[in-house]
Amino acid sequence: MKKITSKASKKLKPSEPEKPAGTRLQKILADAGIASRRKAEELILEGRVQVNGTVITELGTRADAAKDHIRVDGKLLQGPQEHRYFMVNKPRGYVTTMEDPERRDTVVDLLKESARLSGKKLDVRLYPVGRLDYNSEGLLLMTNDGDLANSLSKAANSVEKTYLVKVAGRPTEDSINQLRTGVMIDRGRLAETRGERRDRVLTAPAKVELARGGENPWYEVTLTEGRNRQLRKMFEEIGHHVEKIRRIGYGALVLDVPTGEFRELTPGEVMALGRAAAGKKVERKHKLPDAAKLKQMGQKTGSRGARPRF
C-alpha cells in the first residue's frame, strides 16, 4: 500500500533572496575606462554621473550598461573597453597622477609623449596602479582594468616590490638589521605630525642587501608594504637621507624597458599579477634585464632630462 504524503506537509525550503539587478555604477565606469574604481566613486559622490537623466550621488546605485544611458560630465558612456596592461619605466620629475594641481608633468603626459615619438598608437585611457613619488623612478603599472587595479591596491601589503636605493653615508650593519626586522615610522605624509607624540607605525620586516658599497652606497630593498614615502622614512629613522630610488620589481614583473619607455604586458604577466593580487606566490626572473641592474659608476640613471628615445 502506497503511503500518501500531503504536499502541504512537506517542509518548504526558504526562498533565496533575489540578487540586485544591474551592476554597481562605479564598476561600470571602471570597466569603461573612465577611471579607477576608487576615482569612479569620487565622480559619483561629486554628482558628475547621470543615469537616464538623473544625477546619481549614492555609491550603492546599480545600472545596466547595455540599457541605461549613463553620462559622466555630460558625455555618454560608450560601454566597456578591452582591458590593457602596461609596464612603464618612469623617470624622475613626473607625478603618478592623472592630473596635477601644480601643473607638473604626469605619467599620462609621459605615455602620450612616448607614444608620439615612437609612432605607437595608444588609444586607451590608462590609470597608474600604486604610486612612485616625484623624485623616484622605475617600474610603474598602468591599466584600464579597474578590478585588477583595485585588487592590487588592496593587496599592497602582500605583493613584493623591489627597489634600488642610494643613501647618503654608510649605515652600520646594526642599522640595516633594524630595517630588516622593522622600524617605527610616521604614518601618513612626511609633513603630517600630531604634536610631540606623532602617529607612528611599525614597518613589516624588509629584505635589505648591499648592492654597491662606497661612501654613498646602494641597497636592494624588498618590501611587502606600500606606505607613503616608506623607504625614505625608514632610512631617515636610522639617520641616513635617501638620494635615489628606483623600483625594479613588482610581483613577478621585473623592469625591462629603458627610461621613459613602456610596453604592453603579456597574458602570462597579467595572470601573474592576478595571482599576486590574490595573495598567491609568484616567481620572478632570476636573471635581471639591463633596465633593472645598477648602472655602472658614473653612468646616470633616469631623470627628468632623460627624454624617451626610440
Side-chain angles (χ1 to χ4, degrees), residues 152-163 203-207 221-227 230-231 234 251 284:
L152 286 169
S153 297
K154 287 182 178 178
N157 288 350
S158 61
V159 180
E160 285 193 345
K161 295 163 283 290
T162 301
Y163 304 82
T203 62
K207 298 177 185 176
V221 184
T222 300
L223 304 177
T224 54
E225 295 180 298
R227 301 185 185 280
Q230 180 169 341
L231 284 167
M234 286 169 59
R284 190 176 289 175

mmCIF file with all atom_site columns, all heavy atoms in Angstrom, residues 152-163 203-207 221-227 230-231 234 251 284:
data_model
loop_
_atom_site.group_PDB
_atom_site.id
_atom_site.type_symbol
_atom_site.label_atom_id
_atom_site.label_alt_id
_atom_site.label_comp_id
_atom_site.label_asym_id
_atom_site.label_entity_id
_atom_site.label_seq_id
_atom_site.pdbx_PDB_ins_code
_atom_site.Cartn_x
_atom_site.Cartn_y
_atom_site.Cartn_z
_atom_site.occupancy
_atom_site.B_iso_or_equiv
_atom_site.pdbx_formal_charge
_atom_site.auth_seq_id
_atom_site.auth_comp_id
_atom_site.auth_asym_id
_atom_site.auth_atom_id
_atom_site.pdbx_PDB_model_num
ATOM 1   N N   . LEU A 1 152 ? 44.982 44.905 -6.638  1.00 0.00 ? 152 LEU A N   1
ATOM 2   C CA  . LEU A 1 152 ? 46.403 45.106 -6.345  1.00 0.00 ? 152 LEU A CA  1
ATOM 3   C C   . LEU A 1 152 ? 46.594 46.152 -5.259  1.00 0.00 ? 152 LEU A C   1
ATOM 4   O O   . LEU A 1 152 ? 47.485 46.033 -4.417  1.00 0.00 ? 152 LEU A O   1
ATOM 5   C CB  . LEU A 1 152 ? 47.152 45.509 -7.615  1.00 0.00 ? 152 LEU A CB  1
ATOM 6   C CG  . LEU A 1 152 ? 47.384 44.392 -8.640  1.00 0.00 ? 152 LEU A CG  1
ATOM 7   C CD1 . LEU A 1 152 ? 47.882 44.968 -9.961  1.00 0.00 ? 152 LEU A CD1 1
ATOM 8   C CD2 . LEU A 1 152 ? 48.373 43.358 -8.112  1.00 0.00 ? 152 LEU A CD2 1
ATOM 9   N N   . SER A 1 153 ? 45.756 47.188 -5.271  1.00 0.00 ? 153 SER A N   1
ATOM 10  C CA  . SER A 1 153 ? 45.850 48.224 -4.235  1.00 0.00 ? 153 SER A CA  1
ATOM 11  C C   . SER A 1 153 ? 45.503 47.649 -2.869  1.00 0.00 ? 153 SER A C   1
ATOM 12  O O   . SER A 1 153 ? 46.164 47.943 -1.875  1.00 0.00 ? 153 SER A O   1
ATOM 13  C CB  . SER A 1 153 ? 44.915 49.394 -4.563  1.00 0.00 ? 153 SER A CB  1
ATOM 14  O OG  . SER A 1 153 ? 45.310 50.021 -5.769  1.00 0.00 ? 153 SER A OG  1
ATOM 15  N N   . LYS A 1 154 ? 44.467 46.804 -2.823  1.00 0.00 ? 154 LYS A N   1
ATOM 16  C CA  . LYS A 1 154 ? 44.075 46.188 -1.559  1.00 0.00 ? 154 LYS A CA  1
ATOM 17  C C   . LYS A 1 154 ? 45.133 45.198 -1.076  1.00 0.00 ? 154 LYS A C   1
ATOM 18  O O   . LYS A 1 154 ? 45.298 44.983 0.114   1.00 0.00 ? 154 LYS A O   1
ATOM 19  C CB  . LYS A 1 154 ? 42.734 45.470 -1.719  1.00 0.00 ? 154 LYS A CB  1
ATOM 20  C CG  . LYS A 1 154 ? 41.547 46.405 -1.832  1.00 0.00 ? 154 LYS A CG  1
ATOM 21  C CD  . LYS A 1 154 ? 40.250 45.626 -1.939  1.00 0.00 ? 154 LYS A CD  1
ATOM 22  C CE  . LYS A 1 154 ? 39.049 46.567 -2.001  1.00 0.00 ? 154 LYS A CE  1
ATOM 23  N NZ  . LYS A 1 154 ? 37.776 45.825 -2.158  1.00 0.00 ? 154 LYS A NZ  1
ATOM 24  N N   . ALA A 1 155 ? 45.856 44.585 -2.053  1.00 0.00 ? 155 ALA A N   1
ATOM 25  C CA  . ALA A 1 155 ? 46.863 43.582 -1.709  1.00 0.00 ? 155 ALA A CA  1
ATOM 26  C C   . ALA A 1 155 ? 48.252 44.202 -1.571  1.00 0.00 ? 155 ALA A C   1
ATOM 27  O O   . ALA A 1 155 ? 49.257 43.504 -1.612  1.00 0.00 ? 155 ALA A O   1
ATOM 28  C CB  . ALA A 1 155 ? 46.896 42.487 -2.776  1.00 0.00 ? 155 ALA A CB  1
ATOM 29  N N   . ALA A 1 156 ? 48.304 45.536 -1.369  1.00 0.00 ? 156 ALA A N   1
ATOM 30  C CA  . ALA A 1 156 ? 49.602 46.230 -1.320  1.00 0.00 ? 156 ALA A CA  1
ATOM 31  C C   . ALA A 1 156 ? 50.505 45.675 -0.229  1.00 0.00 ? 156 ALA A C   1
ATOM 32  O O   . ALA A 1 156 ? 51.728 45.734 -0.333  1.00 0.00 ? 156 ALA A O   1
ATOM 33  C CB  . ALA A 1 156 ? 49.385 47.730 -1.102  1.00 0.00 ? 156 ALA A CB  1
ATOM 34  N N   . ASN A 1 157 ? 49.907 45.120 0.822   1.00 0.00 ? 157 ASN A N   1
ATOM 35  C CA  . ASN A 1 157 ? 50.704 44.597 1.926   1.00 0.00 ? 157 ASN A CA  1
ATOM 36  C C   . ASN A 1 157 ? 51.091 43.138 1.752   1.00 0.00 ? 157 ASN A C   1
ATOM 37  O O   . ASN A 1 157 ? 51.554 42.502 2.694   1.00 0.00 ? 157 ASN A O   1
ATOM 38  C CB  . ASN A 1 157 ? 49.965 44.774 3.248   1.00 0.00 ? 157 ASN A CB  1
ATOM 39  C CG  . ASN A 1 157 ? 49.942 46.228 3.679   1.00 0.00 ? 157 ASN A CG  1
ATOM 40  O OD1 . ASN A 1 157 ? 50.622 47.065 3.099   1.00 0.00 ? 157 ASN A OD1 1
ATOM 41  N ND2 . ASN A 1 157 ? 49.163 46.527 4.680   1.00 0.00 ? 157 ASN A ND2 1
ATOM 42  N N   . SER A 1 158 ? 50.900 42.589 0.543   1.00 0.00 ? 158 SER A N   1
ATOM 43  C CA  . SER A 1 158 ? 51.331 41.214 0.305   1.00 0.00 ? 158 SER A CA  1
ATOM 44  C C   . SER A 1 158 ? 52.140 41.070 -0.980  1.00 0.00 ? 158 SER A C   1
ATOM 45  O O   . SER A 1 158 ? 52.860 40.093 -1.145  1.00 0.00 ? 158 SER A O   1
ATOM 46  C CB  . SER A 1 158 ? 50.112 40.274 0.260   1.00 0.00 ? 158 SER A CB  1
ATOM 47  O OG  . SER A 1 158 ? 49.241 40.630 -0.796  1.00 0.00 ? 158 SER A OG  1
ATOM 48  N N   . VAL A 1 159 ? 52.021 42.023 -1.892  1.00 0.00 ? 159 VAL A N   1
ATOM 49  C CA  . VAL A 1 159 ? 52.760 41.959 -3.150  1.00 0.00 ? 159 VAL A CA  1
ATOM 50  C C   . VAL A 1 159 ? 54.174 42.501 -2.937  1.00 0.00 ? 159 VAL A C   1
ATOM 51  O O   . VAL A 1 159 ? 54.352 43.617 -2.453  1.00 0.00 ? 159 VAL A O   1
ATOM 52  C CB  . VAL A 1 159 ? 52.048 42.776 -4.254  1.00 0.00 ? 159 VAL A CB  1
ATOM 53  C CG1 . VAL A 1 159 ? 52.832 42.697 -5.558  1.00 0.00 ? 159 VAL A CG1 1
ATOM 54  C CG2 . VAL A 1 159 ? 50.629 42.264 -4.459  1.00 0.00 ? 159 VAL A CG2 1
ATOM 55  N N   . GLU A 1 160 ? 55.179 41.714 -3.307  1.00 0.00 ? 160 GLU A N   1
ATOM 56  C CA  . GLU A 1 160 ? 56.568 42.147 -3.133  1.00 0.00 ? 160 GLU A CA  1
ATOM 57  C C   . GLU A 1 160 ? 56.940 43.224 -4.154  1.00 0.00 ? 160 GLU A C   1
ATOM 58  O O   . GLU A 1 160 ? 56.635 43.099 -5.338  1.00 0.00 ? 160 GLU A O   1
ATOM 59  C CB  . GLU A 1 160 ? 57.530 40.961 -3.279  1.00 0.00 ? 160 GLU A CB  1
ATOM 60  C CG  . GLU A 1 160 ? 57.544 40.026 -2.090  1.00 0.00 ? 160 GLU A CG  1
ATOM 61  C CD  . GLU A 1 160 ? 58.722 39.073 -2.132  1.00 0.00 ? 160 GLU A CD  1
ATOM 62  O OE1 . GLU A 1 160 ? 59.363 38.940 -3.209  1.00 0.00 ? 160 GLU A OE1 1
ATOM 63  O OE2 . GLU A 1 160 ? 59.016 38.448 -1.097  1.00 0.00 ? 160 GLU A OE2 1
ATOM 64  N N   . LYS A 1 161 ? 57.591 44.275 -3.662  1.00 0.00 ? 161 LYS A N   1
ATOM 65  C CA  . LYS A 1 161 ? 58.085 45.353 -4.505  1.00 0.00 ? 161 LYS A CA  1
ATOM 66  C C   . LYS A 1 161 ? 59.571 45.552 -4.188  1.00 0.00 ? 161 LYS A C   1
ATOM 67  O O   . LYS A 1 161 ? 59.931 45.701 -3.023  1.00 0.00 ? 161 LYS A O   1
ATOM 68  C CB  . LYS A 1 161 ? 57.291 46.639 -4.253  1.00 0.00 ? 161 LYS A CB  1
ATOM 69  C CG  . LYS A 1 161 ? 55.829 46.518 -4.655  1.00 0.00 ? 161 LYS A CG  1
ATOM 70  C CD  . LYS A 1 161 ? 54.976 47.607 -4.048  1.00 0.00 ? 161 LYS A CD  1
ATOM 71  C CE  . LYS A 1 161 ? 54.679 47.343 -2.596  1.00 0.00 ? 161 LYS A CE  1
ATOM 72  N NZ  . LYS A 1 161 ? 53.748 46.218 -2.376  1.00 0.00 ? 161 LYS A NZ  1
ATOM 73  N N   . THR A 1 162 ? 60.415 45.537 -5.228  1.00 0.00 ? 162 THR A N   1
ATOM 74  C CA  . THR A 1 162 ? 61.862 45.607 -5.024  1.00 0.00 ? 162 THR A CA  1
ATOM 75  C C   . THR A 1 162 ? 62.414 46.916 -5.575  1.00 0.00 ? 162 THR A C   1
ATOM 76  O O   . THR A 1 162 ? 62.034 47.347 -6.675  1.00 0.00 ? 162 THR A O   1
ATOM 77  C CB  . THR A 1 162 ? 62.567 44.418 -5.698  1.00 0.00 ? 162 THR A CB  1
ATOM 78  O OG1 . THR A 1 162 ? 62.049 43.203 -5.141  1.00 0.00 ? 162 THR A OG1 1
ATOM 79  C CG2 . THR A 1 162 ? 64.069 44.451 -5.464  1.00 0.00 ? 162 THR A CG2 1
ATOM 80  N N   . TYR A 1 163 ? 63.314 47.529 -4.807  1.00 0.00 ? 163 TYR A N   1
ATOM 81  C CA  . TYR A 1 163 ? 63.866 48.840 -5.152  1.00 0.00 ? 163 TYR A CA  1
ATOM 82  C C   . TYR A 1 163 ? 65.393 48.832 -5.047  1.00 0.00 ? 163 TYR A C   1
ATOM 83  O O   . TYR A 1 163 ? 65.961 48.094 -4.237  1.00 0.00 ? 163 TYR A O   1
ATOM 84  C CB  . TYR A 1 163 ? 63.340 49.916 -4.197  1.00 0.00 ? 163 TYR A CB  1
ATOM 85  C CG  . TYR A 1 163 ? 61.844 50.024 -4.124  1.00 0.00 ? 163 TYR A CG  1
ATOM 86  C CD1 . TYR A 1 163 ? 61.107 49.161 -3.317  1.00 0.00 ? 163 TYR A CD1 1
ATOM 87  C CD2 . TYR A 1 163 ? 61.155 51.003 -4.842  1.00 0.00 ? 163 TYR A CD2 1
ATOM 88  C CE1 . TYR A 1 163 ? 59.728 49.260 -3.226  1.00 0.00 ? 163 TYR A CE1 1
ATOM 89  C CE2 . TYR A 1 163 ? 59.770 51.105 -4.754  1.00 0.00 ? 163 TYR A CE2 1
ATOM 90  C CZ  . TYR A 1 163 ? 59.067 50.232 -3.950  1.00 0.00 ? 163 TYR A CZ  1
ATOM 91  O OH  . TYR A 1 163 ? 57.694 50.327 -3.873  1.00 0.00 ? 163 TYR A OH  1
ATOM 92  N N   . THR A 1 203 ? 57.037 49.153 10.730  1.00 0.00 ? 203 THR A N   1
ATOM 93  C CA  . THR A 1 203 ? 57.098 48.577 9.385   1.00 0.00 ? 203 THR A CA  1
ATOM 94  C C   . THR A 1 203 ? 57.254 47.060 9.459   1.00 0.00 ? 203 THR A C   1
ATOM 95  O O   . THR A 1 203 ? 57.797 46.521 10.426  1.00 0.00 ? 203 THR A O   1
ATOM 96  C CB  . THR A 1 203 ? 58.271 49.158 8.575   1.00 0.00 ? 203 THR A CB  1
ATOM 97  O OG1 . THR A 1 203 ? 59.506 48.816 9.226   1.00 0.00 ? 203 THR A OG1 1
ATOM 98  C CG2 . THR A 1 203 ? 58.160 50.669 8.460   1.00 0.00 ? 203 THR A CG2 1
ATOM 99  N N   . ALA A 1 204 ? 56.801 46.392 8.420   1.00 0.00 ? 204 ALA A N   1
ATOM 100 C CA  . ALA A 1 204 ? 56.982 44.942 8.330   1.00 0.00 ? 204 ALA A CA  1
ATOM 101 C C   . ALA A 1 204 ? 58.450 44.643 8.016   1.00 0.00 ? 204 ALA A C   1
ATOM 102 O O   . ALA A 1 204 ? 59.167 45.494 7.475   1.00 0.00 ? 204 ALA A O   1
ATOM 103 C CB  . ALA A 1 204 ? 56.088 44.375 7.230   1.00 0.00 ? 204 ALA A CB  1
ATOM 104 N N   . PRO A 1 205 ? 58.932 43.453 8.355   1.00 0.00 ? 205 PRO A N   1
ATOM 105 C CA  . PRO A 1 205 ? 60.313 43.091 8.022   1.00 0.00 ? 205 PRO A CA  1
ATOM 106 C C   . PRO A 1 205 ? 60.589 43.254 6.525   1.00 0.00 ? 205 PRO A C   1
ATOM 107 O O   . PRO A 1 205 ? 59.729 42.957 5.693   1.00 0.00 ? 205 PRO A O   1
ATOM 108 C CB  . PRO A 1 205 ? 60.397 41.615 8.438   1.00 0.00 ? 205 PRO A CB  1
ATOM 109 C CG  . PRO A 1 205 ? 59.372 41.473 9.513   1.00 0.00 ? 205 PRO A CG  1
ATOM 110 C CD  . PRO A 1 205 ? 58.247 42.393 9.118   1.00 0.00 ? 205 PRO A CD  1
ATOM 111 N N   . ALA A 1 206 ? 61.773 43.767 6.203   1.00 0.00 ? 206 ALA A N   1
ATOM 112 C CA  . ALA A 1 206 ? 62.156 44.013 4.810   1.00 0.00 ? 206 ALA A CA  1
ATOM 113 C C   . ALA A 1 206 ? 63.421 43.231 4.470   1.00 0.00 ? 206 ALA A C   1
ATOM 114 O O   . ALA A 1 206 ? 64.241 42.951 5.341   1.00 0.00 ? 206 ALA A O   1
ATOM 115 C CB  . ALA A 1 206 ? 62.394 45.506 4.586   1.00 0.00 ? 206 ALA A CB  1
ATOM 116 N N   . LYS A 1 207 ? 63.546 42.865 3.203   1.00 0.00 ? 207 LYS A N   1
ATOM 117 C CA  . LYS A 1 207 ? 64.792 42.265 2.726   1.00 0.00 ? 207 LYS A CA  1
ATOM 118 C C   . LYS A 1 207 ? 65.709 43.411 2.308   1.00 0.00 ? 207 LYS A C   1
ATOM 119 O O   . LYS A 1 207 ? 65.328 44.233 1.463   1.00 0.00 ? 207 LYS A O   1
ATOM 120 C CB  . LYS A 1 207 ? 64.527 41.346 1.544   1.00 0.00 ? 207 LYS A CB  1
ATOM 121 C CG  . LYS A 1 207 ? 63.636 40.158 1.844   1.00 0.00 ? 207 LYS A CG  1
ATOM 122 C CD  . LYS A 1 207 ? 63.387 39.355 0.579   1.00 0.00 ? 207 LYS A CD  1
ATOM 123 C CE  . LYS A 1 207 ? 62.390 38.229 0.824   1.00 0.00 ? 207 LYS A CE  1
ATOM 124 N NZ  . LYS A 1 207 ? 62.066 37.500 -0.437  1.00 0.00 ? 207 LYS A NZ  1
ATOM 125 N N   . VAL A 1 221 ? 66.285 46.698 -1.782  1.00 0.00 ? 221 VAL A N   1
ATOM 126 C CA  . VAL A 1 221 ? 65.311 46.566 -0.692  1.00 0.00 ? 221 VAL A CA  1
ATOM 127 C C   . VAL A 1 221 ? 64.000 46.011 -1.247  1.00 0.00 ? 221 VAL A C   1
ATOM 128 O O   . VAL A 1 221 ? 63.478 46.518 -2.244  1.00 0.00 ? 221 VAL A O   1
ATOM 129 C CB  . VAL A 1 221 ? 65.034 47.931 -0.019  1.00 0.00 ? 221 VAL A CB  1
ATOM 130 C CG1 . VAL A 1 221 ? 64.095 47.752 1.171   1.00 0.00 ? 221 VAL A CG1 1
ATOM 131 C CG2 . VAL A 1 221 ? 66.335 48.592 0.418   1.00 0.00 ? 221 VAL A CG2 1
ATOM 132 N N   . THR A 1 222 ? 63.486 44.971 -0.604  1.00 0.00 ? 222 THR A N   1
ATOM 133 C CA  . THR A 1 222 ? 62.197 44.394 -1.000  1.00 0.00 ? 222 THR A CA  1
ATOM 134 C C   . THR A 1 222 ? 61.203 44.574 0.135   1.00 0.00 ? 222 THR A C   1
ATOM 135 O O   . THR A 1 222 ? 61.454 44.167 1.270   1.00 0.00 ? 222 THR A O   1
ATOM 136 C CB  . THR A 1 222 ? 62.332 42.896 -1.335  1.00 0.00 ? 222 THR A CB  1
ATOM 137 O OG1 . THR A 1 222 ? 63.255 42.744 -2.426  1.00 0.00 ? 222 THR A OG1 1
ATOM 138 C CG2 . THR A 1 222 ? 60.986 42.310 -1.738  1.00 0.00 ? 222 THR A CG2 1
ATOM 139 N N   . LEU A 1 223 ? 60.085 45.216 -0.193  1.00 0.00 ? 223 LEU A N   1
ATOM 140 C CA  . LEU A 1 223 ? 59.019 45.490 0.776   1.00 0.00 ? 223 LEU A CA  1
ATOM 141 C C   . LEU A 1 223 ? 57.762 44.710 0.414   1.00 0.00 ? 223 LEU A C   1
ATOM 142 O O   . LEU A 1 223 ? 57.543 44.374 -0.748  1.00 0.00 ? 223 LEU A O   1
ATOM 143 C CB  . LEU A 1 223 ? 58.670 46.982 0.789   1.00 0.00 ? 223 LEU A CB  1
ATOM 144 C CG  . LEU A 1 223 ? 59.785 47.992 1.053   1.00 0.00 ? 223 LEU A CG  1
ATOM 145 C CD1 . LEU A 1 223 ? 59.213 49.401 0.955   1.00 0.00 ? 223 LEU A CD1 1
ATOM 146 C CD2 . LEU A 1 223 ? 60.422 47.767 2.407   1.00 0.00 ? 223 LEU A CD2 1
ATOM 147 N N   . THR A 1 224 ? 56.947 44.459 1.414   1.00 0.00 ? 224 THR A N   1
ATOM 148 C CA  . THR A 1 224 ? 55.610 43.906 1.167   1.00 0.00 ? 224 THR A CA  1
ATOM 149 C C   . THR A 1 224 ? 54.548 44.898 1.630   1.00 0.00 ? 224 THR A C   1
ATOM 150 O O   . THR A 1 224 ? 53.402 44.533 1.859   1.00 0.00 ? 224 THR A O   1
ATOM 151 C CB  . THR A 1 224 ? 55.415 42.569 1.905   1.00 0.00 ? 224 THR A CB  1
ATOM 152 O OG1 . THR A 1 224 ? 55.706 42.754 3.284   1.00 0.00 ? 224 THR A OG1 1
ATOM 153 C CG2 . THR A 1 224 ? 56.311 41.486 1.322   1.00 0.00 ? 224 THR A CG2 1
ATOM 154 N N   . GLU A 1 225 ? 54.947 46.159 1.769   1.00 0.00 ? 225 GLU A N   1
ATOM 155 C CA  . GLU A 1 225 ? 54.025 47.225 2.169   1.00 0.00 ? 225 GLU A CA  1
ATOM 156 C C   . GLU A 1 225 ? 54.062 48.337 1.129   1.00 0.00 ? 225 GLU A C   1
ATOM 157 O O   . GLU A 1 225 ? 54.950 48.377 0.276   1.00 0.00 ? 225 GLU A O   1
ATOM 158 C CB  . GLU A 1 225 ? 54.424 47.801 3.529   1.00 0.00 ? 225 GLU A CB  1
ATOM 159 C CG  . GLU A 1 225 ? 54.309 46.830 4.680   1.00 0.00 ? 225 GLU A CG  1
ATOM 160 C CD  . GLU A 1 225 ? 54.722 47.488 5.984   1.00 0.00 ? 225 GLU A CD  1
ATOM 161 O OE1 . GLU A 1 225 ? 55.886 47.907 6.103   1.00 0.00 ? 225 GLU A OE1 1
ATOM 162 O OE2 . GLU A 1 225 ? 53.876 47.564 6.885   1.00 0.00 ? 225 GLU A OE2 1
ATOM 163 N N   . GLY A 1 226 ? 53.115 49.247 1.231   1.00 0.00 ? 226 GLY A N   1
ATOM 164 C CA  . GLY A 1 226 ? 53.086 50.367 0.308   1.00 0.00 ? 226 GLY A CA  1
ATOM 165 C C   . GLY A 1 226 ? 52.741 51.661 1.012   1.00 0.00 ? 226 GLY A C   1
ATOM 166 O O   . GLY A 1 226 ? 51.907 52.431 0.541   1.00 0.00 ? 226 GLY A O   1
ATOM 167 N N   . ARG A 1 227 ? 53.380 51.917 2.151   1.00 0.00 ? 227 ARG A N   1
ATOM 168 C CA  . ARG A 1 227 ? 53.091 53.140 2.904   1.00 0.00 ? 227 ARG A CA  1
ATOM 169 C C   . ARG A 1 227 ? 53.690 54.364 2.213   1.00 0.00 ? 227 ARG A C   1
ATOM 170 O O   . ARG A 1 227 ? 54.666 54.259 1.486   1.00 0.00 ? 227 ARG A O   1
ATOM 171 C CB  . ARG A 1 227 ? 53.630 53.016 4.328   1.00 0.00 ? 227 ARG A CB  1
ATOM 172 C CG  . ARG A 1 227 ? 53.032 51.848 5.094   1.00 0.00 ? 227 ARG A CG  1
ATOM 173 C CD  . ARG A 1 227 ? 53.513 51.836 6.534   1.00 0.00 ? 227 ARG A CD  1
ATOM 174 N NE  . ARG A 1 227 ? 53.021 50.654 7.230   1.00 0.00 ? 227 ARG A NE  1
ATOM 175 C CZ  . ARG A 1 227 ? 51.795 50.543 7.736   1.00 0.00 ? 227 ARG A CZ  1
ATOM 176 N NH1 . ARG A 1 227 ? 50.946 51.562 7.627   1.00 0.00 ? 227 ARG A NH1 1
ATOM 177 N NH2 . ARG A 1 227 ? 51.406 49.445 8.358   1.00 0.00 ? 227 ARG A NH2 1
ATOM 178 N N   . GLN A 1 230 ? 57.611 55.353 2.205   1.00 0.00 ? 230 GLN A N   1
ATOM 179 C CA  . GLN A 1 230 ? 58.099 54.438 3.244   1.00 0.00 ? 230 GLN A CA  1
ATOM 180 C C   . GLN A 1 230 ? 59.610 54.286 3.242   1.00 0.00 ? 230 GLN A C   1
ATOM 181 O O   . GLN A 1 230 ? 60.250 54.322 4.302   1.00 0.00 ? 230 GLN A O   1
ATOM 182 C CB  . GLN A 1 230 ? 57.445 53.061 3.078   1.00 0.00 ? 230 GLN A CB  1
ATOM 183 C CG  . GLN A 1 230 ? 57.902 52.054 4.133   1.00 0.00 ? 230 GLN A CG  1
ATOM 184 C CD  . GLN A 1 230 ? 57.073 50.791 4.142   1.00 0.00 ? 230 GLN A CD  1
ATOM 185 O OE1 . GLN A 1 230 ? 55.955 50.771 3.632   1.00 0.00 ? 230 GLN A OE1 1
ATOM 186 N NE2 . GLN A 1 230 ? 57.602 49.726 4.703   1.00 0.00 ? 230 GLN A NE2 1
ATOM 187 N N   . LEU A 1 231 ? 60.223 54.089 2.077   1.00 0.00 ? 231 LEU A N   1
ATOM 188 C CA  . LEU A 1 231 ? 61.670 53.888 2.034   1.00 0.00 ? 231 LEU A CA  1
ATOM 189 C C   . LEU A 1 231 ? 62.420 55.090 2.587   1.00 0.00 ? 231 LEU A C   1
ATOM 190 O O   . LEU A 1 231 ? 63.386 54.941 3.351   1.00 0.00 ? 231 LEU A O   1
ATOM 191 C CB  . LEU A 1 231 ? 62.119 53.609 0.589   1.00 0.00 ? 231 LEU A CB  1
ATOM 192 C CG  . LEU A 1 231 ? 61.811 52.214 0.062   1.00 0.00 ? 231 LEU A CG  1
ATOM 193 C CD1 . LEU A 1 231 ? 62.010 52.175 -1.446  1.00 0.00 ? 231 LEU A CD1 1
ATOM 194 C CD2 . LEU A 1 231 ? 62.682 51.169 0.734   1.00 0.00 ? 231 LEU A CD2 1
ATOM 195 N N   . MET A 1 234 ? 62.061 55.098 6.365   1.00 0.00 ? 234 MET A N   1
ATOM 196 C CA  . MET A 1 234 ? 62.805 54.023 7.012   1.00 0.00 ? 234 MET A CA  1
ATOM 197 C C   . MET A 1 234 ? 64.282 54.387 7.176   1.00 0.00 ? 234 MET A C   1
ATOM 198 O O   . MET A 1 234 ? 64.863 54.231 8.255   1.00 0.00 ? 234 MET A O   1
ATOM 199 C CB  . MET A 1 234 ? 62.664 52.728 6.201   1.00 0.00 ? 234 MET A CB  1
ATOM 200 C CG  . MET A 1 234 ? 61.305 52.065 6.319   1.00 0.00 ? 234 MET A CG  1
ATOM 201 S SD  . MET A 1 234 ? 61.057 50.716 5.121   1.00 0.00 ? 234 MET A SD  1
ATOM 202 C CE  . MET A 1 234 ? 62.403 49.597 5.547   1.00 0.00 ? 234 MET A CE  1
ATOM 203 N N   . GLY A 1 251 ? 55.723 42.229 -7.863  1.00 0.00 ? 251 GLY A N   1
ATOM 204 C CA  . GLY A 1 251 ? 55.198 40.874 -8.023  1.00 0.00 ? 251 GLY A CA  1
ATOM 205 C C   . GLY A 1 251 ? 56.178 40.050 -8.837  1.00 0.00 ? 251 GLY A C   1
ATOM 206 O O   . GLY A 1 251 ? 57.373 39.994 -8.529  1.00 0.00 ? 251 GLY A O   1
ATOM 207 N N   . ARG A 1 284 ? 59.683 35.333 -9.821  1.00 0.00 ? 284 ARG A N   1
ATOM 208 C CA  . ARG A 1 284 ? 60.278 36.429 -10.587 1.00 0.00 ? 284 ARG A CA  1
ATOM 209 C C   . ARG A 1 284 ? 61.494 35.915 -11.365 1.00 0.00 ? 284 ARG A C   1
ATOM 210 O O   . ARG A 1 284 ? 62.107 34.924 -10.987 1.00 0.00 ? 284 ARG A O   1
ATOM 211 C CB  . ARG A 1 284 ? 60.700 37.532 -9.612  1.00 0.00 ? 284 ARG A CB  1
ATOM 212 C CG  . ARG A 1 284 ? 61.122 38.825 -10.253 1.00 0.00 ? 284 ARG A CG  1
ATOM 213 C CD  . ARG A 1 284 ? 61.419 39.869 -9.181  1.00 0.00 ? 284 ARG A CD  1
ATOM 214 N NE  . ARG A 1 284 ? 60.203 40.333 -8.530  1.00 0.00 ? 284 ARG A NE  1
ATOM 215 C CZ  . ARG A 1 284 ? 60.189 41.163 -7.509  1.00 0.00 ? 284 ARG A CZ  1
ATOM 216 N NH1 . ARG A 1 284 ? 61.326 41.591 -6.989  1.00 0.00 ? 284 ARG A NH1 1
ATOM 217 N NH2 . ARG A 1 284 ? 59.050 41.556 -6.985  1.00 0.00 ? 284 ARG A NH2 1
#
